Amino acid sequence: MRGVQVAVAGTLLALLAGCGSEAGPTPERPAPDPGPGALRVKLEALAVDQCYLAPTEQDPPGCEKYVTQLGSIPGAAEKYAGEAHPDLAEHGRELERGIQDYRAHACYTAGGADEPECPKALADMATALHEVQRSLGDLLGAGTTAG
């Protein structure tokens, strides 16, 4: 009986060892960077948001999703600016400051809605976003984009 138990235990260990190596396919290489053209598409989509079009007329907590969507733009602007387009990087940093102000004043909460800094933060973000859009258009050689 002891021999059967050892054989069963050995079989179970072999099966478990085999399962550990089957985690699925490993990606061959990371996905390529979509480039500044993809950033332009994202900016165009955000430029129709009411938090961009009329920032001082919005209930600041209602713009939380919009502000979250803006979060990756400053880094992308910095990345694509390189040495040839310092304005793009600077406007990205201005956008980041607006995002930080919105968050620092808890504009995403019901209490933050009464903060006078919240509409200003939204307006600052809209201005910076417009400038990022314009500078990106310059980088891509297409002039200004909508917004």
Side-chain angles (χ1 to χ4, degrees):
M1 187 71 168
R2 178 122 174 106
V4 173
Q5 290 173 336
V6 171
V8 170
T11 303
L12 288 174
L13 285 174
L15 288 173
L16 289 174
C19 291
S21 65
E22 295 180 23
T26 304
E28 293 180 22
R29 60 184 157 209
D33 182 341
L39 179 58
R40 180 196 309 224
V41 171
K42 180 174 184 170
L43 294 175
E44 289 172 352
L46 290 168
V48 297
D49 192 294
Q50 288 301 305
C51 296
Y52 171 79
L53 295 172
T56 59
E57 298 172 21
Q58 303 309 308
D59 179 36
C63 292
E64 181 180 10
K65 182 177 179 183
Y66 163 79
V67 173
T68 298
Q69 291 171 336
L70 294 176
S72 65
I73 294 173
E78 187 81 37
K79 176 181 177 179
Y80 297 131
E83 292 181 18
H85 298 279
D87 288 349
L88 177 58
E90 178 55 35
H91 297 310
R93 289 188 290 273
E94 291 168 3
L95 179 59
E96 179 64 31
R97 285 190 288 276
I99 293 168
Q100 289 173 351
D101 286 347
Y102 177 89
R103 292 180 177 152
H105 295 289
C107 298
Y108 49 85
T109 66
D114 296 329
E115 292 289 327
E117 293 88 353
C118 293
K120 181 182 180 322
L122 288 171
D124 290 349
M125 284 184 274
T127 299
L129 184 61
H130 174 76
E131 292 302 320
V132 167
Q133 228 179 345
R134 186 188 54 74
S135 296
L136 184 65
D138 292 344
L139 177 137
L140 294 172
T144 57
T145 56

